[in-house]
Amino acid sequence: METKVVSVDNFMDNKRNYEQAVDILKNGGVVAFPTETVYGLGALATDELAVQKIFEAKGRPSDNPLIVHIGNKEQVFNYATGISAEAEKLMETFWPGPLTLVFHKKVGVIALNVTPGVETVGIRMPDHPVALGLLRALGEPLAAPSANRSGKPSPTEAGHVHKDLDGLIPLILDGGQTGVGVESTVLDMTTVPPTILRPGGTTQEMIESIIGPVNSETKSPGEQAPRSPGMKYLHYAPEAPLYVINYDADKIRAAIEKLHAEGKKVALIGPDELGILGADWYFAIGLAGNNEAMATNLYGALRKCDLTEADLILAVETDMAGVGAAVMNRLMKAAEGKHYMN
Ligand code: TXA
Ligand code: MG
């Protein structure tokens, strides 16, 4: 299959390219498109055969549920039941935006393979003109996971999607780099209080400012979150083994010297102000404390490591404030829980 990459930046091109995407989706195909978090790989959420193509293209385990994307808030009532006043407040405040809400699903509406093995459905309204344009043109919901091969970092540029899925999908809508850079927060509204299953673009602090305290299954990064099925799989992994390391220039420099003495080449992912510290490759992802910048740039940096000959990757830890919780969650997953010890 030939994979076409078409721009959706230029308004004159938009119409034709949208129409092409809508056409493919209506006929049961899959299309990659930008959202404010990462690129998604969409299929009609009501079409089981179309949804099956997502799992095939991604190589995704079929027991991991997909998020349903909607183009207007009211559509949530078509697919979910038991929507609380708290949930309505969250939708009012944060939709469109990087917050996925998990509800009891309405029976018989969404294709069964969107939510394999669970009685719930995760729904979000993305905050990106291309995603919203597509959803509104379709008038139907899209099931869409991140548009990467399973296990790889989520794509934040069309080129990342092309690298992973070339030949496996017909169309990629190129809307440039995504803004948030990490995926949506997954908040389970079926527990009391609600539970954060995956930290993401909408921070715990933001959610709690609207509905008060929530549970977090992901407070200690690297820990398994059993009720979000996706959390048990290898995730966000670059090719070389990755270790998280403390923010300590002397310790990092010493670690790199030791690794060099062992004949290993080292890639370093860290904040702008630390500098290269003797590493063979250095990918700066934003000033320390600017957790939004780090979220935006993290996956791109992980993917750049795959273009080097590094034997090992060191990634400098960030603080847990705001979206820092999501950055550390992804880093600890990419590291499979490993901290570098000198
Ligand atoms: O920002 C995002 O959320 C992106 C963009 C494309 O919207 N999508 C995304 O989808 O990250 P995906 O499939 O890569 O991750 C969805 C996560 C998985 O960890 C999955 O297990 C969890 O959400 N999830 C989905 N539906 C769920 C449900 N009903 N109950 C529990 N966890 C659910
Ligand atoms: Mg994903």
Side-chain angles (χ1 to χ4, degrees):
M1 181 187 300
E2 195 210 338
T3 302
K4 277 215 276 181
V5 185
V6 298
S7 171
V8 281
D9 279 346
N10 175 304
F11 185 77
M12 289 308 281
D13 285 344
N14 272 7
K15 202 162 174 284
R16 229 183 325 125
N17 292 339
Y18 276 119
E19 280 166 3
Q20 203 183 340
V22 168
D23 205 50
I24 291 171
L25 290 166
K26 284 213 157 135
N27 285 296
V30 297
V31 172
F33 62 95
T35 79
E36 81 281 31
T37 57
V38 301
Y39 276 73
L41 181 62
L44 280 187
T46 48
D47 181 339
E48 182 154 2
L49 288 175
V51 170
Q52 181 56 30
K53 291 179 188 163
I54 294 177
F55 286 95
E56 281 161 16
K58 281 186 59 98
R60 180 179 175 113
S62 60
D63 65 344
N64 191 7
L66 306 177
I67 293 170
V68 172
H69 295 67
I70 56 177
N72 68 66
K73 296 181 192 180
E74 291 66 39
Q75 284 177 316
V76 72
F77 298 100
N78 300 342
Y79 311 110
T81 61
I83 297 169
S84 64
E86 274 183 332
E88 293 206 39
K89 270 195 220 162
L90 291 173
M91 296 186 291
E92 203 45 55
T93 313
F94 298 118
W95 280 7
L99 177 64
T100 296
L101 298 175
V102 173
F103 298 111
H104 294 292
K105 70 178 163 191
K106 257 196 186 164
V107 180
V109 197
I110 296 289
L112 282 175
N113 56 350
V114 174
T115 55
V118 292
E119 299 305 316
T120 54
V121 58
I123 302 179
R124 87 178 191 97
M125 180 180 176
D127 188 14
H128 191 286
V130 176
L132 287 175
L134 195 59
L135 287 162
R136 286 169 181 165
L138 268 171
E140 291 192 65
L142 285 175
S146 49
N148 50 285
R149 283 288 289 176
S150 198
K152 291 276 135 201
S154 297
T156 52
E157 298 171 17
H160 299 162
V161 182
H162 191 259
K163 170 126 200 323
D164 279 16
L165 301 179
D166 185 26
L168 298 171
I169 62 172
L171 186 67
I172 301 169
L173 297 181
D174 183 352
Q177 196 186 351
T178 61
V180 178
V182 293
E183 301 84 344
S184 62
T185 302
V186 179
L187 182 66
D188 186 351
M189 297 307 296
T190 70
T191 64
V192 181
T195 304
I196 294 179
L197 300 179
R198 176 178 73 178
T202 304
T203 67
Q204 182 165 351
E205 295 91 324
M206 289 161 74
I207 293 167
E208 291 185 334
S209 76
I210 304 299
I211 60 167
V214 296
N215 291 328
S216 172
E217 290 196 352
T218 51
K219 260 204 177 112
S220 84
E223 195 181 278
Q224 299 247 317
R227 283 182 317 99
S228 186
M231 303 300 265
K232 67 175 182 277
Y233 297 107
L234 179 65
H235 262 93
Y236 319 111
E239 276 149 31
L242 182 144
Y243 292 78
V244 171
I245 191 163
N246 294 350
Y247 184 105
D248 178 338
D250 292 336
K251 191 179 158 184
I252 297 167
R253 197 180 279 107
I256 292 169
E257 270 171 27
K258 182 163 170 258
L259 290 162
H260 279 167
E262 293 167 9
K264 292 187 175 134
K265 292 202 171 87
V266 182
L268 177 67
I269 296 176
D272 298 354
E273 73 279 3
L274 270 184
I276 189 163
L277 301 174
D280 301 280
W281 296 273
Y282 167 54
F283 301 109
I285 58 172
L287 287 170
N290 186 351
N291 294 344
E292 286 78 17
M294 298 204 179
T296 301
N297 296 317
L298 176 66
Y299 290 150
L302 290 175
R303 282 178 177 267
K304 280 181 191 153
C305 288
D306 285 348
L307 304 175
T308 72
E309 281 136 42
D311 299 299
L312 190 143
I313 303 163
L314 296 176
V316 182
E317 69 179 6
T318 65
D319 68 74
M320 297 283 282
V323 76
V327 171
M328 277 312 293
N329 170 271
R330 306 308 191 270
L331 268 184
M332 289 309 290
K333 285 189 183 301
E336 296 181 80
K338 301 189 297 294
H339 256 282
Y340 189 85
M341 304 292 170
N342 273 35

